[in-house]
Amino acid sequence: MDNYLIKKQKTDVKSLTLEELTQELAAMGEKPFRARQMYEWMHGKLARDFNEMTNLPKALREACEERYEYTALRAVQVQESAMDGTRKFLFALSDGNVVESVWMKYHHGNSVCISSQVGCRMGCRFCASTLDGLERNLLPSEMLDQVYAITLLTGERVSNVVVMGIGEPLDNYDNLVRFLRMLTDENGLHMSQRNITVSTCGIVPGIRKLAEEGIQITLALSLHAATDEKRRKLMPIASKYSIAELMEACEDYFRQTGRRITFEYSLLGGVNDTDEDAEALIKLARPLCCHINLIPVNPVRERDFVRPKPGRIREFQNMLEKNKINGTIRREMGRDIDGACGQLRRRHRS
Ligand code: SAH
């Protein structure tokens, strides 16, 4: 798939690093301090267009407007939960596609869940984001701008970012890594790497490459089943990489980054919530330094998965805990506005 860094023949200025922007502006005869000012406007002060950059000469702003594509997402729908204040945003991209992002308020700060692709080609059976396949990758600027637009719309600082919205982040690897570097750049929002989580369905070469980047983010692995046979029924990617290969990659990730892995385990009633499932999960998790997030499945209209019976999730968690495995039940934020991952975009399109 193309790297969408350059689109419509115009360079996407908000996806350029400070070094690249400095080179760009040098070619226009500008001094390096101008690039620094412009970068700060885009990534620190979150300017929505060149016009806001009032300490830059008007002629330069006009030349840039002519020359560059400037990403600024437009919120086309905002839903707010009456239960916990969670807000779900539907953002329009410049080509008319839409993606979802979610803003959650916790005691320790505000967290934003962003999308990494328009659609998804991973085909997980329980997920709404993949029903229509992959449309395209998101640009670094489009990932950044989900965080920026939400900061502006809520008027509050975002302290945590999770890449758990629509799409498979490791299927858009280069743009993802550029996004991570820019989000944590001291000349931009300077977010702490430790406050960022990337969730993957388990693309082994991507996990291995990410471990080498020298970035201190948390990796979350969508496991959902502890045997290859069961996992293959839920996730097509499991036919490509075995659980053994995945565990080895996770171990290496931990060794290289020192970051504890999170396993995500969506509990599907009658499918992966039995005692044997818990036992298999315990066996897998025990040798690793990991944390398990139990997620009650969000039933998707087009699929027939159901939630476990009442009390079952607690029992499952107790089994983990008895075996000294750290497991938390994901607090369900914004259930009243929800619909599972990708459902808002889907409703908007149909
Ligand atoms: N592609 C990435 C990130 C996006 S999905 C990944 O697979 O990890 C974020 C998490 O939500 C994943 O663990 C995914 O498996 C899970 N998920 C998707 N649909 C769901 C549903 N209907 N109910 C509960 N969890 C779901």
Side-chain angles (χ1 to χ4, degrees):
M1 171 137 317
D2 284 340
N3 186 329
Y4 280 86
L5 208 52
I6 310 293
K7 62 178 178 183
K8 296 182 196 156
Q9 275 94 49
K10 283 190 181 182
T11 299
D12 172 26
V13 71
K14 251 166 123 172
S15 288
L16 299 178
T17 61
L18 178 58
E19 294 70 38
E20 290 165 342
L21 186 65
T22 307
Q23 283 169 13
E24 279 277 330
L25 292 199
M28 292 167 76
E30 296 291 340
K31 297 237 159 62
F33 83 95
R34 289 292 181 210
R36 194 171 284 279
Q37 283 178 321
M38 193 180 281
Y39 193 90
E40 200 173 275
W41 274 111
M42 288 190 283
H43 303 287
K45 298 181 193 156
L46 314 184
R48 302 285 290 165
D49 57 37
F50 288 112
N51 260 329
E52 286 185 27
M53 306 181 183
T54 44
N55 59 354
L56 296 183
K58 195 151 191 282
L60 175 60
R61 284 186 262 153
E62 281 170 3
C64 287
E65 201 163 319
E66 187 66 26
R67 200 179 178 114
Y68 297 118
E69 174 85 19
Y70 194 102
T71 298
L73 305 189
R74 201 167 43 83
V76 288
Q77 198 183 324
V78 185
Q79 289 175 280
E80 179 161 355
S81 162
M83 286 158 65
D84 54 34
T86 294
R87 286 184 219 171
K88 200 154 187 174
F89 297 87
L90 193 67
F91 285 116
L93 311 172
S94 63
D95 63 0
N97 277 306
V98 294
V99 289
E100 295 173 34
S101 325
V102 186
W103 181 77
M104 292 158 284
K105 235 174 143 62
Y106 293 102
H107 296 303
H108 60 267
N110 299 321
S111 183
V112 166
C113 171
I114 68 150
S115 296
S116 56
Q117 296 180 311
V118 182
C120 184
R121 57 175 176 166
M122 294 298 123
C124 299
R125 305 270 181 258
F126 43 81
C127 182
S129 302
T130 199
L131 289 168
D132 295 318
L134 176 66
E135 181 72 32
R136 70 168 172 90
N137 282 330
L138 287 187
L139 295 159
S141 62
E142 291 167 329
M143 291 187 248
L144 288 167
D145 212 53
Q146 293 172 63
V147 181
Y148 299 175
I150 287 180
T151 303
L152 293 170
L153 288 165
T154 59
E156 292 190 33
R157 223 178 78 89
V158 172
S159 54
N160 293 269
V161 168
V162 296
V163 188
M164 281 191 190
I166 297 169
E168 168 49 44
L170 299 187
D171 190 36
N172 184 14
Y173 188 89
D174 292 344
N175 287 343
L176 173 82
V177 170
R178 180 177 281 258
F179 156 76
L180 294 173
R181 293 200 190 286
M182 291 175 75
L183 189 63
T184 54
D185 188 317
E186 58 181 2
N187 297 296
L189 282 190
H190 200 189
M191 200 164 278
S192 160
Q193 292 179 351
R194 290 166 170 265
N195 290 354
I196 302 174
T197 298
V198 170
S199 176
T200 177
C201 64
I203 299 178
V204 169
I207 296 174
R208 293 200 170 279
K209 218 164 140 193
L210 195 59
E212 308 269 340
E213 299 281 354
I215 319 179
Q216 289 276 300
I217 54 158
T218 299
L219 183 71
L221 173 70
S222 298
L223 193 60
H224 306 320
T227 64
D228 283 322
E229 194 195 352
K230 208 164 250 191
R231 198 162 183 267
R232 281 183 197 134
K233 287 195 183 131
L234 298 173
M235 307 172 74
I237 193 77
S239 303
K240 202 153 177 195
Y241 308 108
S242 68
I243 289 179
E245 284 175 280
L246 261 181
M247 294 303 119
E248 218 177 272
C250 286
E251 235 170 273
D252 287 346
Y253 187 90
F254 175 68
R255 207 171 303 134
Q256 269 166 284
T257 63
R259 302 291 294 156
R260 187 177 69 163
I261 307 275
T262 299
F263 288 146
E264 288 159 284
Y265 195 96
S266 290
L267 283 157
L268 313 164
V271 176
N272 63 0
D273 66 343
T274 64
D275 284 0
E276 297 80 73
D277 291 312
E279 276 153 21
L281 182 59
I282 289 162
K283 224 161 144 190
L284 262 192
R286 200 179 273 137
L288 290 169
C289 187
C290 68
H291 177 95
I292 299 180
N293 239 329
L294 299 172
I295 316 166
V297 72
N298 266 312
V300 174
R301 206 193 316 140
E302 295 79 356
R303 302 284 196 238
D304 49 10
F305 293 109
V306 294
R307 286 173 176 253
K309 292 202 180 70
R312 184 60 202 153
I313 300 179
R314 249 292 111 70
E315 283 165 23
F316 200 93
Q317 184 194 27
N318 286 342
M319 283 186 71
L320 299 184
E321 265 169 15
K322 264 188 213 132
N323 286 277
K324 307 225 164 18
I325 289 166
N326 220 316
T328 42
I329 300 173
R330 166 89 54 91
R331 245 178 88 200
E332 291 182 273
M333 305 287 280
R335 244 190 106 179
D336 53 338
I337 55 166
D338 212 345
C341 325
Q343 286 196 334
L344 191 58
R345 167 171 176 260
R346 235 184 115 66
R347 259 203 306 279
H348 182 80
R349 280 157 48 98
S350 54

